[in-house]
Amino acid sequence: MQIITCLCSMGRQIHFVVDPQGWLCMGLIIFIWLYNTILIPKVILFPHYEEGHISVVAILSYYFCSLFCIASLLRASVADPGKLPENPKIPITEREYWELCNKCNMMRPKRSHHCSRCGHCVRRMDHHCPWINNCVGEDNHWLFLQLCFYTQILSSYTLILDFCHYYYFLPLEKENGDTTSIEKMSNCCEDISRPRKPWQQTFSEVFGTQWKILWFIPFRQRQPPRIPYHFANHV
């Protein structure tokens, strides 16, 4: 596998791994990120902001998390993980902390490991991650942890927005996606557009129990809500 190393205009070293499998994994991640970055604001954030349900802070926070997520992904993918040079200069006082790699026959510091995917040794290598198309080592481990952190924040934020869109926010006056064709034909929109129930009642109906602690327990059976479904009109 070929490794391309060069210096950018800012003086930083760019470490580029030529690996089609890694490109495919990174391409999938970037596609999912781009899809959500465009879809979530268009479907949820901007419509609810225009109708006064959320503030501009919610939109800026989403773009902030999205920007830092893709920035940490790109930086982790092109950062040098700690690749050892071919002929390292070992100080005499530190030779006892070095050892010979039995795969590439090169001297390396202890706690270094040989990446069979990249074909070289990396200082304090943790693993080779196909999702960033790079090794995770001493010099880019902090970027990988940032990527995990911002990915978790962005994913959680997206799930919360999706849930609130369907179960907590007031219905959009211009919303057409949540109304089915049958409901349109049967003129049930007036009943659907009435004010939402309290969020505690909505969550209780979704999770099938009023005990909030049980909402987080997967090892149980959901009890159907004991409430009738009322519609203003019937088909």
Side-chain angles (χ1 to χ4, degrees):
M1 184 179 300
Q2 184 180 4
I3 307 294
I4 300 177
T5 303
C6 60
L7 291 176
C8 65
S9 58
M10 299 178 63
R12 291 193 177 94
Q13 189 174 11
I14 296 179
H15 181 86
F16 188 75
V17 181
V18 181
D19 182 8
Q21 180 182 353
W23 293 346
L24 179 63
C25 293
M26 272 201 66
L28 179 62
I29 293 297
I30 293 176
F31 172 77
I32 295 175
W33 170 84
L34 187 62
Y35 178 82
N36 283 279
T37 302
I38 296 175
L39 182 68
I40 295 300
K42 181 179 179 180
V43 175
I44 300 178
L45 291 175
F46 288 128
H48 283 285
Y49 171 72
E50 291 175 356
E51 298 190 9
H53 301 162
I54 60 175
S55 66
V56 69
V57 177
I59 300 177
L60 295 178
S61 299
Y62 188 84
Y63 279 118
F64 173 85
C65 294
S66 181
L67 175 62
F68 275 64
C69 183
I70 192 65
S72 58
L73 170 64
L74 296 177
R75 284 210 59 192
S77 65
V78 299
D80 185 358
K83 177 184 176 182
L84 292 171
E86 295 183 359
N87 296 312
K89 296 181 179 180
I90 308 174
I92 299 178
T93 56
E94 297 182 4
R95 287 185 177 180
E96 60 178 318
Y97 302 107
W98 287 64
E99 61 186 7
L100 181 67
C101 176
N102 56 6
K103 294 183 179 179
C104 60
N105 295 322
M106 292 178 56
M107 295 299 295
R108 65 185 185 186
K110 292 183 178 180
R111 298 186 64 187
S112 300
H113 296 280
H114 185 90
C115 177
S116 57
R117 190 74 184 174
C118 296
H120 58 76
C121 291
V122 177
R123 298 191 308 273
R124 294 189 179 183
M125 176 181 170
D126 187 81
H127 68 287
H128 182 91
C129 179
W131 302 109
I132 65 172
N133 191 32
N134 200 359
C135 290
V136 178
E138 183 180 37
D139 292 344
N140 71 340
H141 203 161
W142 65 281
L143 291 169
F144 180 77
L145 292 179
Q146 281 189 356
L147 172 62
C148 294
F149 174 76
Y150 286 115
T151 300
Q152 183 67 32
I153 294 297
L154 184 61
S155 301
S156 301
Y157 195 8
T158 302
L159 289 175
I160 292 173
L161 288 174
D162 289 339
F163 192 91
C164 291
H165 176 64
Y166 290 103
Y167 298 104
Y168 183 72
F169 290 150
L170 293 174
L172 297 172
E173 295 179 0
K174 300 179 181 179
E175 178 67 48
N176 295 319
D178 287 345
T179 306
T180 64
S181 299
I182 296 178
E183 291 170 342
K184 291 178 181 178
M185 295 173 61
S186 59
N187 298 321
C188 295
C189 297
E190 293 182 0
D191 183 74
I192 295 176
S193 300
R194 66 178 178 229
R196 295 286 190 180
K197 299 186 290 282
W199 69 269
Q200 296 92 336
Q201 182 178 350
T202 302
F203 273 59
S204 298
E205 294 175 5
V206 172
F207 289 99
T209 178
Q210 296 182 355
W211 295 92
K212 296 181 178 59
I213 188 62
L214 297 180
W215 295 351
F216 304 93
I217 306 300
F219 309 103
R220 64 179 180 86
Q221 294 292 332
R222 177 183 178 275
Q223 299 297 328
R226 298 179 181 179
I227 55 174
Y229 292 92
H230 298 289
F231 293 93
N233 300 310
H234 299 275
V235 180

